[in-house]
Each structure stands twice: as C-alpha cells, then as structure tokens.
Amino acid sequence: MRAVPRHVACVMDGNGRWARRRSLPRTAGHRAAETAVIDVIEAARAAGVEWLSLYAFSTENWSRPSDEVDYLMRLVRRVVRKHAPLLLARGVRCRFLGVSDPRIPPELAQDFDDLTTLTGENRGMTLTVAFDHGGRRDIVEAARSLIRSGTPAGEVTEAVLAAHLPFPDTPDVDLVIRTSGEQRISNFMLWQVAYAEMVFPQVLWPDFRAPHFVECLQAYRRRDRRFGGAPTQPNGEH
C-alpha cells in the first residue's frame, strides 16, 4: 500500500450542527468551514497527497431554504477570490466538478472559470471542488455521451465509460473522509469511490484541522486494501 493515499475525497459535513450547538444560524457554520478547508488543503499538500476532492455543494442541496443557498453562493465566491493567490502560489491546480445548473450565479461560474485558468499550469496537487455535483448524474451524462458517440454496446467497457466522465484523468479515490460521524456517500463521485477506504471522524467539519486529517491518513495506512482479492494480513484481519 502507498504510504499516502494518492486521492483523498472529503465530504465536509456538520456545518449546521456546529452552528446549532452554539445557538447560531446555519450560515455561521458555513462561514466557519472556511478555515477547515484551507487547513485541509495545506495538510494534504504537506503529506504528499496528489489529488484532493472536496464536496462543497450537491445537486440535492438546491432543496435547502433559498436564503441559505443564496448565502452559500456569496460565501463561496468570496472564498474563491480571497484564496486564489494562495492556491496559485502553492502550485495547486484547481477545477470544479459540476457547475451546470442555471441557478448558479453567472459571476460565481465566472470566478470558477477564472480560478481554473489561473492555476491551470500548476503541477502540484490537483484540487477538485465538487459544486452542484451528483455522482449519479455524472454516470448518466457519461452514458449519454457514449450513445451520442455511436459506441457499439459490445465495445462499452468500464474504461470506455470512464473516459466519458467529467475529468476522466482523475484517478480513483483511495480514501473518503466524511466528518461529523455520518456514514454515507451522499451521491459523491460514485464511480471513483468504488474501492475507496472510508473514515468517519466524529469531529464536525468547522472544527476539522490538519491533525485530524493526518489521523485519517494514518487510519488509511493501517487498512489492508484487497480490491476483492485475498487478505494479505495474518489471519485475514483488518
């Protein structure tokens, strides 16, 4: 096993509960999450993680109250603009997975495009922000793309379908971290997480910091990844 997972994906969960425990509005939890995001990006870089994916906004999140959604759009735009110079300086290549819903403010979509272009030549860690993302939708769109391409059914393999997914150069996820203790995928990168190890720390995302991230990496190192094969650990433990 690699000492460090090549691709780590984080489901950033617990903002609302963090705020509620402090008798604050949910928006306060989203605002507090910014520090955790930057800390995890820095921790992943320092650890040698090559690909980091963050689940920022799902296709299902559109069902939240409109004032909360509007706040999130404004907050994400501020965060993107604020930290663009840091990401560029750190050699982080940024891109955004999803971003197809017309309800996304045009100025936010433009900021996503600008950051993608700004950091496109970076050769350090690749940061993928899943925004307006749904794993099932990605697979459906890949199937539609295959049909449009005229690929015969007998020629469709896993590799062929994967080549029609968004960002097909993205490697499979090695480690999924979901904070707040919840234990589900929530439609996140469904194709890529097929054989991922999963860690569910109890800490809420706004309180998640570099030491927590490192603990998750250490938990990954203790796993015996078999990909359906026979155990490599004595007595088949782990």
Side-chain angles (χ1 to χ4, degrees):
M1 174 183 288
R2 291 168 53 91
V4 176
R6 184 183 184 198
H7 186 179
V8 178
C10 297
V11 182
M12 305 181 292
D13 196 12
N15 295 351
R17 274 165 285 173
W18 184 93
R20 187 167 61 249
R21 290 177 184 179
R22 291 160 176 76
S23 299
L24 297 171
R26 286 176 57 85
T27 52
H30 298 315
R31 187 168 61 249
E34 175 184 348
T35 301
V37 168
I38 300 306
D39 219 46
V40 165
I41 292 171
E42 294 280 32
R45 282 186 60 257
V49 172
E50 297 177 23
W51 298 73
L52 177 67
S53 297
L54 303 178
Y55 203 6
F57 192 87
S58 74
T59 51
E60 293 77 20
N61 287 156
W62 289 109
S63 64
R64 294 185 176 186
S66 59
D67 57 344
E68 181 179 353
V69 171
D70 291 344
Y71 178 84
L72 280 167
M73 297 296 160
R74 295 193 302 272
L75 175 64
V76 170
R77 188 175 189 212
R78 182 183 65 78
V79 170
V80 166
R81 290 189 160 207
K82 176 181 176 181
H83 296 289
L86 172 68
L87 295 167
L88 178 64
R90 293 287 194 269
V92 177
R93 179 175 61 154
C94 301
R95 50 195 193 178
F96 296 85
L97 177 63
V99 199
S100 62
D101 196 292
R103 287 173 290 185
I104 296 174
E107 59 272 17
L108 177 58
Q110 185 61 56
D111 285 340
F112 289 164
D113 287 343
D114 290 345
L115 183 58
T116 299
T117 301
L118 178 69
T119 62
E121 299 302 317
N122 283 350
R123 291 296 177 264
M125 184 178 73
T126 296
L127 171 66
T128 301
V129 178
F131 193 91
D132 178 39
H133 162 70
R136 285 182 173 180
R137 184 179 67 184
D138 283 354
I139 294 171
V140 168
E141 289 300 325
R144 289 173 174 168
S145 177
L146 276 171
I147 293 169
R148 288 193 296 268
S149 72
T151 304
E155 296 181 11
V156 177
T157 63
E158 290 185 10
V160 169
L161 190 147
H164 287 259
L165 289 167
F167 304 133
D169 61 326
T170 303
D172 284 349
V173 174
D174 298 300
L175 173 64
V176 173
I177 300 170
R178 180 168 188 145
T179 54
S180 85
E182 299 291 340
Q183 300 184 19
R184 58 183 180 273
I185 296 299
S186 296
N187 202 18
F188 182 36
M189 302 185 81
L190 294 181
W191 184 273
Q192 296 87 346
V193 304
Y195 278 100
E197 298 295 323
M198 300 183 184
V199 179
F200 304 105
Q202 293 294 319
V203 62
L204 304 178
W205 179 258
D207 292 326
F208 196 73
R209 294 293 182 271
H212 301 114
F213 185 82
V214 171
E215 288 175 5
C216 293
L217 299 186
Q218 292 170 343
Y220 169 85
R221 293 185 63 183
R222 294 192 292 269
R223 303 286 178 88
D224 179 21
R225 302 189 77 199
R226 301 193 294 272
F227 300 98
T232 58
Q233 297 293 338
N235 303 318
E237 296 294 329
H238 295 268

